[in-house]
Amino acid sequence: MEFFFKARDPQTLMDWYEKHLGLKFQHGFIELKWADEKGNKTPGSTTIAIFKEDSAHFKPSEKSYMINLRVADLRALLAELQENGVAPLGEIEEYDFGRFGRIMDPEGNKIELWEPVDDAP
């Protein structure tokens, strides 16, 4: 799962998180690798990213945050969602690190669905 949110001054906020909570952001995000109860790496991570408050990346939502969820089969999920009346926002975007689709929930929150190319840590 990823959590993206907006800030007036992203760099100052990232610096605050590093100083007070030990979270070191690089390129506007921090990736927290998953591990099992014994500390062994497991596939996946949680990402926190901070965007400038005027970023258009969250559109058409007017909220100051966006949820990004990992999914196993983006095309099948989007088809199922559409069958249930949930319209996708735009087309699927493909990158070397995965596919992305987007939807809105009934409250106007944008949800980004990400199918990673490789779920290895």
Side-chain angles (χ1 to χ4, degrees):
M1 176 179 192
E2 282 67 36
F3 183 70
F4 303 151
F5 64 99
K6 295 180 181 181
R8 284 185 306 279
D9 186 344
Q11 188 59 57
T12 299
L13 194 55
M14 287 182 262
D15 293 345
W16 184 93
Y17 275 95
E18 181 175 0
K19 177 180 178 181
H20 297 288
L21 300 175
L23 299 173
K24 180 146 179 73
F25 286 77
Q26 293 184 340
H27 310 291
F29 70 93
I30 184 169
E31 184 178 26
L32 307 168
K33 297 285 188 176
W34 294 344
D36 65 17
E37 61 279 353
K38 295 179 183 174
N40 299 314
K41 289 182 182 178
T42 61
S45 62
T46 297
T47 301
I48 301 169
I50 303 175
F51 289 78
K52 185 84 174 124
E53 68 183 344
D54 61 357
S55 172
H57 190 70
F58 297 23
K59 295 289 182 191
S61 176
E62 294 298 322
K63 305 292 176 99
S64 61
Y65 61 89
M66 180 176 68
I67 299 168
N68 177 301
L69 301 173
R70 289 172 175 254
V71 300
D73 186 340
L74 179 62
R75 293 183 199 289
L77 177 58
L78 288 174
E80 182 179 336
L81 287 167
Q82 199 160 14
E83 286 175 15
N84 289 295
V86 180
L89 297 173
E91 301 296 319
I92 291 174
E93 294 179 16
E94 297 196 34
Y95 300 93
D96 58 345
F97 50 89
R99 293 182 186 93
F100 292 86
R102 294 159 187 92
I103 59 172
M104 296 280 279
D105 75 13
E107 294 281 329
N109 300 302
K110 186 174 180 181
I111 301 170
E112 191 168 65
L113 304 169
W114 173 38
E115 179 185 345
V117 169
D118 181 5
D119 217 7

